[in-house]
Structures are given as C-alpha cells and as structure tokens.
Amino acid sequence: MRQPEPGRAKQLLRTHCLDSLNVGMDRNPSPPPSDEETTRVDAIGSTVYSKHWLFSTLMRLIELVSPEGEDTEVTDSGAETELDEDLENEICKIWDMSMDEDVAVFLQEFNATDILLGIIGKSKCPRLTEICVGILGNMACYKETCQSITNNNNLVEVLLLLLGDTDPPTLLETSRLILSCLSQPDVSNIWIDQIHKQRSVRENVCFIMQSSTNADLLGKIGEMVDKLFDLDKELMLKWVSDLKELPDASTTEQEKMAETAVVPCLLEAARQLRSDNIEGLEVYMHILQLLTTANEGIQAIVKTPDKGEATWTLLNDIVCTDLCQDDDPAIIVEEQACVLSSTLAVLSAMFASNMEENYIKIEQNLPLLGTLLRVLLYAEESQKKPSEVIRRPSVVKFSGPSPRSGAQKGKRREGDFHLKILLGICSEFLSEIFMDISKEIVSNSFKEGLLSQAMCTCAFQHLLPLYHTAKGSTPS
C-alpha cells in the first residue's frame, strides 16, 4: 500500500500556505484586534479561528513525525514515542475546532486528508494517531468532507487496517469515523465494498468484541456492526458463514477461527455491557435480532456445539434479571422497550426454530413466561399514560454535532412506536408458547405467583386477534 510521503505532505502544506495567504507566517493563534482586515483574511470562514495558527501547528506535526535530515532507519523504528504536552494541547485544539463545519471544509480544501494520512502512516505515538483519526472523524460528520475522505482510497484502506490497532482510544476514534461514513448514504456503499474486500475487518472487529473490556469501544464497535448489517444483508450472512467456507482447515486453524466467530463474540460483548451500559447492550441485541431475519442467521445462533443453549441462557437471564425483575414498576418496561423488543425477538425466533431442545421447553422457563406476561401488561398500561411521561432516549446512532433542536418533539410518538413493537413481539412469542403449554403448567404458575388474572386477561386480549387471523387463513 502506497502512502503519501511526509516530504510530500510538507510540500502540500507550504504550497497551500503561500497560495492561500498574503500575510506572514509568524502569527500568534489569535489575530491582532487592531487590524480588522488582517483578522478577516486570517479567519476560517465565519469563525474566529486563525488560518496561520492552523498552518503552523500542522507544520509542527509534520516535523515531529519526519524531522529533516533524520535517518530513515531511525524514523521507521517500531518503538512508541510520547507526544510533547504543549504540542498535544495545540493539536487537541484542532480536534475541537474540526467539529465546526467551516473548519472541516477548510481542512478539506487545505488537503488535510493527505496530510493527516501521512502523519498517521509515520506516527509512532498512539496519542497522535488517535487525535489525527479523531479530526478526520469530526470532518466525516459533514457530507462534503465525508465525500472527500471516502474518495481517498489510501486513507480508507489505512482506516480499515487501523481496526487491528492495539490502542483502545485509536480504535474508538476509528470505529466512530467508519460509523459516520456508513451513515452517509452517498458514500456508504464505497465503504461496504472495501469492507467486503478486507477479511481482516471481520477478524479485528470480532477480536475487539471478544477481548475488550472498554465499554465505550464495545458500544461504538457494536454500532458500526449494527449499521453494516442493517445496510448489507449479504455482508452479514458472509460474516456469520465464514467458518463454513473452510471445511478442510486444520484443527488449529478451526480453533483459531472459532475464537472470532461472530455470534460468540457478540455474546461476549453483551456480557461485558449488560451490567452498566444499557445503550450498548441494546445495540448488540439489535444485531442478534438482525441475524434472525435470515435463516442462515438463525442457524448461526442455534447450530453451535451447545445448540444455542449459551445464547438462550444469557438472553433469558438478561430479560428476567436485568431488564424486568418481579418488583420493577411499569416505567422500567417503558424505558427499556427497545432492548426488550430486540432480546425477546431473538428468544422468540430461537424458540420457534429449536423447540425440540430440552433447555428451551417452557417447563424449564416458567420465570420467562411470567416475565413475558408482565411485560405485555406493563407495556399496555404505559401506552395509556399521559404524554408527560419522560423516557430514556434510545442509543444514539450518529456521532458529531449536538442533536438538532426540536429532537424532543416526537419523543412521545417514538416511545409509543417502540411500545407497539414490544406488544407485537410479546404477543407472537406467547402465541408460540401457548401452542405447547399444558393446563398443569398454567395451574402451577398461578400457584407459584408467576401468573395473575390481570396478566392472563391482557394476554387473552392481545392473542385473540392473532387466533382469529390464523383461523381465518386456514384452508376449509
């Protein structure tokens, strides 16, 4: 892979400085208040940020990674270096500035993508790499600058390879950048095509999910995978079917590949996030739900050495222990409608496709039956509440500038939508369960306090329309 040489980056910078400005390079970051004309020329767009200061800071960065006259062997040494505190503070200012669209566009016009690529390619400092990727990530939040980043084939390739980096902050910024680009409809297909070509992306992503304990990183990687699978079903099925493509692989190779199988890695990430990061857990449950939309995805979940028992046990425990305990008020169901919907949808799909397994039989899962009926009852009650009820917002899918004003306006409507989905999933799941439940199980559930008259009445009201629909569609 060919990367821009730091010398070329220097030349780009110097040339642009001379072409862009007619004022000297020896300026301070803040323009002199007495010279309004100089201030106007030096300002970036409508901001008060100084072009001169930006030029000089980038020059210092280039000099840092490739000092003039330094031996190539020394420069290419694998030893990590520390970033000077003063310089770190300066480039962090650029990182903050790049959130402004005027600055992002100016950086693009200034060929910053090539310059930052050259710095990333030569950097031996994890913090420097993190900041450079972070600047690009902020630039990717805007359509024009995201297009510029995507059009740089070398940069796209380097960023995908950075998913194999060992520095968590760099991985976090890299995944944030890729997610931002995938969220731009005009360029998402280009990124998906490149991800298809690089097998290492799946391996690196799975390794992160399997081994990381960094909640922020796991959450952002999950959002990236969720977006990928949502955009490209073919890629999703390819990732979950990779192990089947190498039947002649040695035992060692198979064991190594099994360590990065998608479903077990998703489950491990969910285990890490379940106790204190409900937003991250919601993302991983939605990924599993996406898998159940295709037969190959369901098979990847249930056709494991333990026939899906580990998945069922984990998700069952998440629902009954983490999301909906016996003494939880109805508001808990309302706040967690999204993650409950995804988790119960996966359990429902597993139940329908793997009913012969002992671990999935309803007599082994009476607490789940009680939880399903309670969720159904609470969700119905929540729908009837006045609109003043405040809900926890679901997972933020996009990184970048603050949400648009007026984002709260449709929250009630969005909450009702999620509750409606939850009611539908619970009803479908219960309809499958009640087809195979005995009177004895129902009687024992009442005696043990798992069922109540209110729960059963609510279930009857929601299941009756499903019964009439099924009966009406049966051939006479």
Side-chain angles (χ1 to χ4, degrees), residues 427-428 430-432 434-435 459-474:
S427 299
E428 290 284 353
L430 286 168
S431 68
E432 294 283 350
F434 285 151
M435 288 176 64
F460 176 77
Q461 292 172 345
H462 284 276
L463 293 177
L464 188 59
L466 294 178
Y467 170 77
H468 282 311
T469 302
K471 185 176 179 181
S473 61
T474 304

Side-chain angles (χ1 to χ4, degrees), residues 360-379:
I360 224 166
K361 294 186 181 301
I362 195 58
E363 53 265 33
Q364 306 293 328
N365 295 278
L366 291 181
L368 177 60
L369 174 60
T371 298
L372 270 171
L373 290 167
R374 188 166 58 256
V375 167
L376 193 69
L377 177 63
Y378 286 175

Side-chain angles (χ1 to χ4, degrees), residues 225-476:
V225 173
D226 189 34
K227 191 68 178 178
L228 266 177
F229 286 5
D230 193 37
L231 290 172
D232 194 317
K233 185 176 181 179
E234 179 187 350
L235 179 72
M236 178 183 77
L237 298 181
K238 178 182 177 182
W239 277 26
V240 298
S241 305
D242 266 357
L243 293 179
K244 300 177 183 178
E245 295 177 2
L246 299 173
D248 299 328
S250 67
T251 303
T252 303
E253 289 174 329
Q254 289 284 7
E255 289 175 352
K256 184 177 180 181
M257 292 174 65
E259 292 176 357
T260 55
V262 171
V263 172
C265 293
L266 292 171
L267 296 177
E268 183 56 35
R271 288 189 189 95
Q272 288 289 333
L273 296 172
R274 61 179 289 192
S275 61
D276 57 3
N277 193 323
I278 190 69
E279 292 87 356
L281 178 64
E282 180 181 325
V283 171
Y284 282 94
M285 293 302 101
H286 188 257
I287 296 171
L288 290 170
Q289 184 183 7
L290 286 175
L291 292 181
T292 65
T293 61
N295 183 60
E296 296 94 327
I298 296 176
Q299 295 307 308
I301 294 173
V302 299
K303 298 299 182 183
T304 56
D306 67 350
K307 300 181 180 179
E309 184 172 0
T311 304
W312 176 273
T313 301
L314 175 62
L315 269 57
N316 190 348
D317 193 45
I318 287 173
V319 170
C320 298
T321 304
D322 298 352
L323 302 180
C324 191
Q325 298 179 6
D326 292 346
D327 56 351
D328 280 341
I331 187 66
I332 297 298
V333 170
E334 187 177 7
E335 290 178 341
Q336 300 178 158
C338 288
V339 64
L340 273 169
S341 295
S342 295
T343 312
L344 291 173
V346 178
L347 288 171
S348 179
M350 292 182 68
F351 185 87
S353 63
N354 222 24
M355 293 179 66
E356 70 279 2
E357 296 300 328
N358 186 59
Y359 73 83
I360 224 166
K361 294 186 181 301
I362 195 58
E363 53 265 33
Q364 306 293 328
N365 295 278
L366 291 181
L368 177 60
L369 174 60
T371 298
L372 270 171
L373 290 167
R374 188 166 58 256
V375 167
L376 193 69
L377 177 63
Y378 286 175
E380 185 180 69
E381 290 177 355
S382 295
Q383 275 197 319
K384 298 175 182 178
K385 288 185 178 180
S387 59
E388 289 80 14
V389 175
I390 297 174
R391 291 181 176 79
R392 175 184 59 80
S394 59
V395 176
V396 177
K397 296 293 184 184
F398 304 99
S399 302
S402 301
R404 296 184 297 270
S405 59
Q408 301 281 338
K409 193 173 182 180
K411 185 176 287 188
R412 174 69 197 189
R413 186 178 302 169
E414 181 183 351
D416 287 341
F417 174 73
H418 292 313
L419 284 171
K420 186 176 181 180
I421 292 176
L422 179 59
L423 285 167
I425 290 172
C426 285
S427 299
E428 290 284 353
F429 197 175
L430 286 168
S431 68
E432 294 283 350
I433 291 174
F434 285 151
M435 288 176 64
D436 195 43
I437 197 171
S438 66
K439 292 181 180 179
E440 183 181 359
I441 292 175
V442 175
S443 177
N444 289 337
S445 297
F446 268 102
K447 292 176 182 178
E448 295 176 14
L450 296 172
L451 301 182
S452 68
Q453 183 177 350
M455 290 178 181
C456 292
T457 302
C458 178
F460 176 77
Q461 292 172 345
H462 284 276
L463 293 177
L464 188 59
L466 294 178
Y467 170 77
H468 282 311
T469 302
K471 185 176 179 181
S473 61
T474 304
S476 55

